[in-house]
Amino acid sequence: MTQPDLFAAATGQGRAPVPAEPAAAPGPVDLRAILERLARMCERPRYSFMVLNLIAQAGAGTGSAGPYVREGGRHVPVRDWLCDALLPVGARDPRRRAIEGRVRRELACARTLPADPAQAEQVVEDEVRRRVRQSGRTNVSRAVSELVRAGLVRRHYQGYRVDHENRGAQRQAVYTITEEARAALGAG
């Protein structure tokens, strides 16, 4: 009896195998090489590139973003900050408009929508932002996982007791952009 290799690339099952981490290219890596790597390794390379740029921006001094990003006078978890920064990209998305319509109907049915149109609009916008952020956190995590596989970002979790490789126990993500990615993006 033979056991099939569980880690062999699946063929014909509708899912492309995940490519192995690329070998380091000789010499310095430029922006074009980063884009090629993202196109080869990421499901949504444009989105991943936006996330990579935002991480580079948030960690401008050290190359490390998180667990919190200072925004105005408050500290925001890095994933929430990334979601909020990416909100304008999806403003015209039909799915976001559908969420807005659904929220408006739900609040009207529950009779919790204020009579003042400006206040009502703000309540709807706050609820839409909350729902979009909830799903956006998942999208950001997927993009960061792809960036980690591409060798452009390292991730660890920091929090309650000690830094740790795994999440949980009130730990927050910390994303560190690699030196080659920082050099290619001109972020360091």
Side-chain angles (χ1 to χ4, degrees):
M1 174 180 244
T2 328
Q3 180 176 356
D5 187 2
L6 297 175
F7 299 103
T11 57
Q13 294 181 358
R15 190 158 202 226
V18 177
E21 188 172 319
V29 176
D30 61 353
L31 187 58
R32 182 176 177 170
I34 297 288
L35 292 172
E36 286 175 6
R37 188 182 302 179
L38 289 174
R40 190 174 59 249
M41 300 194 73
C42 295
E43 201 171 300
R44 299 184 324 174
R46 291 180 183 145
Y47 187 81
S48 295
F49 185 69
M50 286 189 287
V51 170
L52 179 65
N53 272 313
L54 288 168
I55 292 170
Q57 177 187 339
T62 62
S64 185
Y68 297 98
V69 175
R70 185 176 202 122
E71 186 174 53
R74 61 191 183 109
H75 293 294
V76 180
V78 68
R79 283 195 313 167
D80 290 347
W81 182 82
L82 288 167
C83 291
D84 291 345
L86 291 165
L87 276 177
V89 174
R92 297 186 312 180
D93 186 12
R95 291 173 290 192
R96 180 175 170 132
R97 290 187 180 175
I99 291 171
E100 187 177 324
R102 193 174 327 124
V103 165
R104 195 176 300 283
R105 284 190 304 276
E106 288 173 6
L107 293 174
C109 287
R111 297 177 193 233
T112 56
L113 205 56
D116 179 39
Q119 288 179 342
E121 200 58 41
Q122 186 60 46
V123 168
V124 168
E125 181 59 34
D126 290 346
E127 180 61 19
V128 168
R129 179 180 293 271
R130 186 191 68 76
R131 290 184 187 189
V132 169
R133 180 186 273 180
Q134 188 175 6
S135 65
R137 288 172 59 98
T138 302
N139 292 334
V140 165
S141 291
R142 284 183 186 148
V144 170
S145 292
E146 290 178 341
L147 291 170
V148 168
R149 273 196 305 272
L152 301 172
V153 170
R154 288 185 305 276
R155 170 180 46 202
H156 74 276
Y157 296 89
Q158 182 175 320
Y160 176 61
R161 295 195 96 159
V162 294
D163 289 357
H164 200 273
E165 203 171 293
N166 299 314
R167 64 180 176 263
Q170 300 174 356
R171 294 185 184 102
Q172 295 287 335
V174 177
Y175 306 131
T176 305
I177 192 167
T178 62
E179 287 302 317
E180 70 176 353
R182 284 182 78 188
L185 294 172

